[in-house]
Every structure is written in structure tokens, then in C-alpha cells.
Amino acid sequence: MAVLKTEQLTYVYSQGTPFEKTAIDHVNLEINEGEIIGIMGHTGSGKSTLIQHFNGLLKATSGKIYLDGKDIWADKSEIRSVRFKVGLVFQYPEYQIFEETVYKDIAFGCKNMGLDEAEIKRRVIETAYDIGLPEEILEKSPFELSGGQKRLVAIAGVMAMNPRVLILDEPSASLDPAGRDRIFDCIKAYHKKTKNTILIVSHSMEDIARFADRILVMNNAGVFCFDETEKVFSRAEEISKIGLDVPQITKVFLELKKYGLDFGKKVYTVEYAKELILKNLRERGIVC
Amino acid sequence: MANIIEIRNLHFRYDADSENPSPEILKGINLDIKKGEFVAVLGHNGSGKSTLAKHLNGILTATSGTVTVDGIDTSDETKLFELRQRAGMVFQNPDNQIVSSVVEEDVAFALENLGVPYEEMRQRVDEALKAVNMYEYRLHSPAQLSGGQKQRVAIAGIIAMRPKCIILDEPTAMLDPQGRKEVISAVRKMNREYEITIVLITHYMDEASKCDRVVVMDKGNIILDNIPEKVFSQVELLRKIGLDVPQVTELCYELKKAGLDISPEIISEEECVKALLKLLN
């Protein structure tokens, strides 16, 4: 069953002004319970506008959006509860930290949900533990932490609310490789534990390929493709043409194909590429 | 070629004179950069690379040791103005370095401060905007530009000063792939056509792999300094200090480790395709 579903979802910015722009245009999507979805698209393709519809931050100009089969705007007064079920982590969430202590910052969302103190405490401590923040950090000011740690704290605040759907807008932007790996490891661990649905917006096809079940590629306010990761990679050339980065290794294997070396598979990780090449050489008896 | 940047035994800690100085961030850096070179500086967060960059135009000054840029000792406060005209700096966040509400006024900002006459200013601003392909946006508001366009405006503001050297501190970290390409190609053009020395601090290995030289920092020291091929073939070492290597380099390295006859010093897709064809045919 689809946890999120859009029907002819359309959003027009500054309607009726000279700056009028259709940011998303008749988008139909179904996202299943427990999936990890990667969302790609160049700047201006509509991806950020789209995700802001999922928790009702933006209201569609036309079209509908369903959470668990229910139109989220059917009863306006219910929209607050939608925001507890669909957690959105913005780009550079560390800039939104404001509390005096890490504990209070992580607890903020849970408090708004009206949970009791004991439950809030349990969730904060558990989430901090899960993402590897040492307990003694909880009483510190978040502003004493490093950039990467601050970002983890901001993400933890949304994770602690245990939303049915967790949406992260470029969670690894401007981190170094070690910081990026840490964030993605936390997200993966969170998914394994909670089985909640996760949507991740990223510019890096390489990063997304490592753990998304399906990839949504947006272009010109619409869906360019929405399919299993491997199938999306089989269209790597077209994707590269709409201004997105395709992993180096995928490009190399596309090039080899032109020389008649078709491995028949979509290659996007180094380990897999190595395996394919060694297998090929072994089968032909070139190496043992 | 003569050196434009000379760093000798540079040590740095914050609040060195106070009772609670910070731990040492730079631990004895020696580095020479030649005129016209295009150098990438890599390192994970906290390795000291941004701190090093800030020494190159006098934002920070050495606790001990010396930094000389185009003959100017960067600790000489009387020459700070002159230093910053010769060594311009571009930062990570495009929104933090734009001051005006019109693109061309932003590019003119430094020239106004320097008291450049109007006619010359007009000419230099136009030239700088053309150099980064932003001339047609000269009357736009920066707020309506994309991140990559804003960074190019920031670069134009520096070029207008006619610097000898530009230091860019992760200028593409907040940009999308398209914006990254635009900025890097503008920077490359500054280097090739205007012979401006470039120091590019980055996390992106693909950007570093296209420079003349790559300097790798870890814990306040320079641990590698060589052409990209030689640096990236140190796969184990780079991984150990939390850096990536380009996928093609990693693949060739892994194949070599598996006993195949392939060079581990491959950093571009074309070279990788060639090497694999040789191996497989």
C-alpha cells in the first residue's frame, strides 16, 4: 500500500504575476511503505517544491496528495498531525538549531507533539545513542559542536519524532567524505531499525545508488523517470544530458559498450565493476 | 618559474598569546607555489586546509614562521590592502559574499574602495563579468541568480582587482553539478588565459584530479604533494585519512591488487577506458 501518493499535483509560484512559474506540473507518484527513495534533479527541476507538499508546507495549486490513503488537505485542522507523520529535514538543518542544549534541541519536535517528559527523554537518549552522539554532549550547547555534529543533532530532532516518512533535502551537502559517510550510515541504521519510509534528495547519483530502492529523477517540473535504481542507471546517458552527474564508473562502462564490450549490467559501484572484469577475464582463461 | 607563494615553517594556533591557546592547527607547513600554477588542496574537515588558506591573504597571521605572497610578508599590516588586491579569496557560501543589490555594483565594490577612476572601473567590471560569462546578468539582482552564478559573480569581483592569485575555499561545496561545472570552468579559464595562480580547496576529487598539482593535508601537516596521478594512486593512505579517490583510480588500483597488469596512476575516464580495453582485448 502506498504511504504517499500524489494525483496530478501541480504548483504554480507567483500566480498571476510576471514571475509566474510552474514548479511542478501534474505529478503522479506512489511511494510504498518502508521504501528508500532517492530524488534527483538539477536546481529548478521542482524537487524541493515537491517535497514541501508531502508535509503540507506548500498547498498544491491543483491536484491531490494522500498520506495513508487520506487526502492531507481534506480537513485543514488536521494538517499539524500530518507534519508529525511526515518529517522534513531541510538543507543545512544545522542553521535552524536554536536551543540552549543539544538535549532540548533534539526534544523540540517531540515536545510539540505533546509527548510526556518521560517519553521525550527516552526518545532523545535513544536517538542520540543510535546516531552515535555521546551522552555527555546532550547537556552541551549545540553551538560548541562541529558542523557535522550539529547537522546530526538537527536530523536527530526529526528522527526522534519517529515520523512515518522521513524526508531529507541534501543531507550530505558540503560535508567531507567522512562526514557524508557518517550521515548516510545513520540514515541506513535508522531505516533498518524503524522500517520507516525515507526520501533523500541528493545531487550525487553515486551516493543515492548505494542504498535507494528506487530513484525519482525530476526534470522541467515533471517526473523524468521513477524506477528501480538499476533501471534508472540504464538511462545514464539521458540523465547526464539533463545536467545530472552520472558516476564515473558508469560512464566508463557506457564507453566500453561502444567498443563492443557489453557487460549487460548497470555498473555503478567500484566493487561490482571489479567483479565483472575479473569474471570476464577468468571465463576467458586469461587469469585464474 | 618564480614562486608566488612561499610558506616557511608555518605554525598556527588561535589565541596564541592568551592563557588558553587552542591546540596547534598548523604544525610547521612548508609550501612553495609557482606563478601560474593550479594547485588543489585536499583534506578532511579539521585538517587545517581552510586555516592555511586564510594565511594567504592575511585573514590569519602566523603564530610562528612566515608566509610570503608575491613578495609581501602577509604579517605586515601596513601592506594588507596591497596584499588583498594581489591575492583574492572566494568562500564557500555564495550568499555570504555578495553585498550589492545589482550584479555589476557588486563586482565594482572592491574597485570603489580602491578609488579606481570611473572610466577604468566601468571597463574592468565589464571585462570581469565577461570573463566569467555573467555579462548579460550585469543588471540583475543577485538574489535571482543560482548558486553557481553567484559564485561566478564573486569571482568576477576579484578578477576586477586584477589579482595575481585567487584562493578558493570550497567554492563549489554548496552547488549542484551544473553550478560546479560553471564555476570550475571559470576558474580554469582564469588560470589558462589570465595566468592567475589558483589555490583551490575542495572535497571533490574530480576537481582536484584536473589540477596541475595536489597537496593533501592531515592534522595540520602536508602529507602528500605531487601531480594528481601520483597522489591519487595512494589509495590506502587517502582512505585512511577519510578522503575518497576517483572511482576510476580505485578500480584500477583494485584490479592491480588482484594481480592484473594495469597502472594504478589512472585518474581520468578516458585513460581508464583505454586501460580496460587493453586488458580485456
Side-chain angles (χ1 to χ4, degrees):
Chain A
M1 153 118 183
V3 58
L4 273 177
K5 185 178 165 193
T6 70
E7 241 175 45
Q8 303 292 332
L9 198 71
T10 300
Y11 188 81
V12 184
Y13 279 104
S14 313
Q15 203 167 21
T17 77
F19 301 107
E20 183 170 311
K21 186 177 185 283
T22 305
I24 47 173
D25 197 359
H26 296 88
V27 168
N28 295 304
L29 287 174
E30 275 189 40
I31 291 160
N32 301 316
E33 178 101 60
E35 274 190 302
I36 301 185
I37 306 284
I39 304 179
M40 301 185 63
H42 59 81
T43 308
S45 62
K47 55 189 189 323
S48 293
T49 307
L50 177 69
I51 60 172
Q52 289 180 65
H53 280 82
F54 289 146
N55 73 344
L57 279 181
L58 290 176
K59 194 176 175 197
T61 311
S62 67
K64 290 245 183 318
I65 179 153
Y66 300 93
L67 175 65
D68 287 327
K70 224 178 111 194
D71 178 357
I72 65 166
W73 288 100
D75 179 359
K76 246 186 182 170
S77 62
E78 289 280 304
I79 201 70
R80 196 172 144 86
S81 74
V82 168
R83 295 195 180 126
F84 299 146
K85 288 180 194 150
V86 181
L88 181 55
V89 180
F90 286 100
Q91 250 184 72
Y92 304 105
E94 59 274 24
Y95 294 148
Q96 300 170 36
I97 286 179
F98 64 95
E99 280 283 12
E100 296 162 4
T101 66
V102 170
Y103 180 94
K104 283 186 186 171
D105 207 275
I106 299 178
F108 185 74
C110 294
K111 241 180 176 165
N112 281 340
M113 289 171 77
L115 299 176
D116 64 59
E117 272 314 315
E119 175 65 9
I120 292 175
K121 190 171 177 192
R122 190 188 67 75
R123 289 199 187 191
V124 172
I125 290 174
E126 191 178 318
T127 313
Y129 177 80
D130 286 346
I131 64 171
L133 285 172
E135 214 175 319
E136 58 268 23
I137 268 188
L138 291 175
E139 288 316 313
K140 276 194 173 176
S141 160
F143 300 100
E144 286 174 38
L145 306 181
S146 75
Q149 278 181 320
K150 264 193 250 177
R151 187 169 301 180
L152 277 175
V153 168
I155 293 175
V158 181
M159 283 179 169
M161 295 165 74
N162 194 23
R164 296 275 315 279
V165 182
L166 174 67
I167 307 175
L168 303 113
D169 193 354
E170 288 197 55
S172 69
S174 86
L175 295 180
D176 65 356
R180 173 202 66 201
D181 290 347
R182 179 147 187 227
I183 296 266
F184 284 136
D185 286 347
C186 288
I187 297 170
K188 263 188 272 183
Y190 168 84
H191 180 257
K192 201 171 158 203
K193 184 171 175 182
T194 64
K195 306 282 183 290
N196 290 339
T197 309
I198 296 182
L199 275 58
I200 300 179
V201 174
S202 173
H203 285 307
S204 170
M205 207 159 171
E206 225 167 299
D207 291 343
I208 279 193
R210 278 191 262 175
F211 54 84
D213 300 311
R214 288 197 291 161
I215 297 180
L216 166 66
V217 182
M218 300 280 297
N219 190 37
N220 287 337
V223 175
F224 179 78
C225 64
F226 186 26
D227 216 330
E228 286 159 29
T229 302
E230 187 174 300
K231 289 189 181 136
V232 169
F233 271 87
S234 69
R235 303 176 67 178
E237 263 180 318
E238 294 165 75
I239 287 169
S240 157
K241 276 190 192 124
I242 59 170
L244 298 179
D245 249 358
V246 172
Q248 253 192 336
I249 215 77
T250 307
K251 284 191 239 170
V252 166
F253 275 74
L254 280 173
E255 200 58 30
L256 288 177
K257 204 171 155 185
K258 288 185 192 157
Y259 290 95
L261 285 164
D262 190 355
F263 288 85
K265 296 278 199 281
K266 312 313 160 228
V267 184
Y268 39 86
T269 65
V270 170
E271 297 83 62
Y272 191 50
K274 176 185 166 192
E275 209 178 287
L276 282 178
I277 288 170
L278 287 175
K279 194 167 154 246
N280 178 293
L281 291 172
R282 257 185 231 120
E283 278 167 4
R284 290 155 52 199
I286 297 171
V287 292
C288 45
Chain B
M1 268 289 201
N3 292 329
I4 183 158
I5 295 172
E6 291 184 345
I7 301 173
R8 294 283 175 273
N9 203 16
L10 168 62
H11 290 259
F12 178 77
R13 58 175 88 232
Y14 282 100
D15 307 321
D17 299 331
S18 76
E19 278 176 25
N20 297 309
S22 78
E24 199 165 56
I25 297 167
L26 299 176
K27 301 174 182 165
I29 303 281
N30 287 295
L31 181 67
D32 286 342
I33 292 175
K34 289 191 182 68
K35 271 186 189 152
E37 255 190 319
F38 193 146
V39 181
V41 181
L42 290 176
H44 60 82
N45 287 346
S47 62
K49 58 191 192 313
S50 291
T51 307
L52 176 66
K54 286 179 185 145
H55 280 80
L56 298 180
N57 77 342
I59 295 175
L60 295 175
T61 49
T63 306
S64 71
T66 58
V67 178
T68 317
V69 176
D70 200 23
I72 300 175
D73 181 344
T74 62
S75 64
D76 184 350
E77 279 183 33
T78 62
K79 292 199 170 155
L80 208 52
F81 234 60
E82 207 179 323
L83 170 68
R84 289 186 182 158
Q85 283 177 56
R86 296 195 204 173
M89 191 135 175
V90 177
F91 297 94
Q92 186 182 108
N93 191 339
D95 291 321
N96 288 352
Q97 42 193 339
I98 292 201
V99 289
S100 297
S101 53
V102 181
V103 165
E104 64 176 16
E105 286 176 16
D106 193 81
V107 176
F109 183 75
L111 301 185
E112 285 176 329
N113 284 345
L114 294 170
V116 173
Y118 178 81
E119 283 309 318
E120 189 185 341
M121 184 155 61
R122 177 76 259 168
Q123 189 206 331
R124 283 212 217 172
V125 167
D126 288 350
E127 191 187 290
L129 281 168
K130 281 176 189 160
V132 297
N133 268 330
M134 287 299 292
Y135 184 66
E136 58 188 291
Y137 292 91
R138 65 193 178 281
L139 298 175
H140 283 228
S141 155
Q144 291 169 345
L145 303 180
S146 73
Q149 289 172 327
K150 283 181 203 168
Q151 283 300 57
R152 283 186 287 150
V153 170
I155 294 171
I158 286 169
I159 297 167
M161 292 193 296
R162 307 230 164 113
K164 302 237 173 104
C165 172
I166 304 180
I167 300 120
L168 303 105
D169 191 359
E170 295 187 41
T172 60
M174 299 174 90
L175 307 182
D176 69 351
Q178 187 57 36
R180 281 179 55 201
K181 273 181 213 148
E182 291 167 7
V183 169
I184 291 301
S185 90
V187 172
R188 181 156 294 120
K189 188 172 164 191
M190 294 312 113
N191 178 250
R192 300 277 148 81
E193 292 178 22
Y194 297 72
E195 291 168 6
I196 297 173
T197 308
I198 304 286
V199 179
L200 173 67
I201 293 167
T202 183
H203 284 146
Y204 291 111
M205 308 304 145
D206 54 333
E207 290 174 6
S209 69
K210 289 178 188 119
C211 296
D212 300 332
R213 177 177 164 199
V214 179
V215 171
V216 181
M217 293 192 61
D218 185 44
K219 301 191 185 104
N221 293 303
I222 290 176
I223 57 162
L224 289 170
D225 178 0
N226 214 322
I227 55 169
E229 287 82 352
K230 298 279 183 203
V231 167
F232 287 121
S233 57
Q234 306 281 325
V235 175
E236 295 295 331
L237 177 62
L238 292 173
R239 274 187 196 151
K240 211 180 88 196
I241 62 165
L243 293 178
D244 284 341
V245 291
Q247 278 191 324
V248 291
T249 314
E250 198 181 343
L251 176 63
C252 296
Y253 170 83
E254 290 291 338
L255 290 174
K256 174 140 183 111
K257 222 168 77 177
L260 298 181
D261 178 24
I262 188 166
S263 164
E265 292 180 10
I266 281 174
I267 55 170
S268 76
E269 287 148 32
E270 300 77 46
E271 288 171 316
C272 182
V273 169
K274 249 188 236 164
L276 290 178
L277 283 172
K278 207 176 128 202
L279 206 59
L280 291 162
N281 279 331

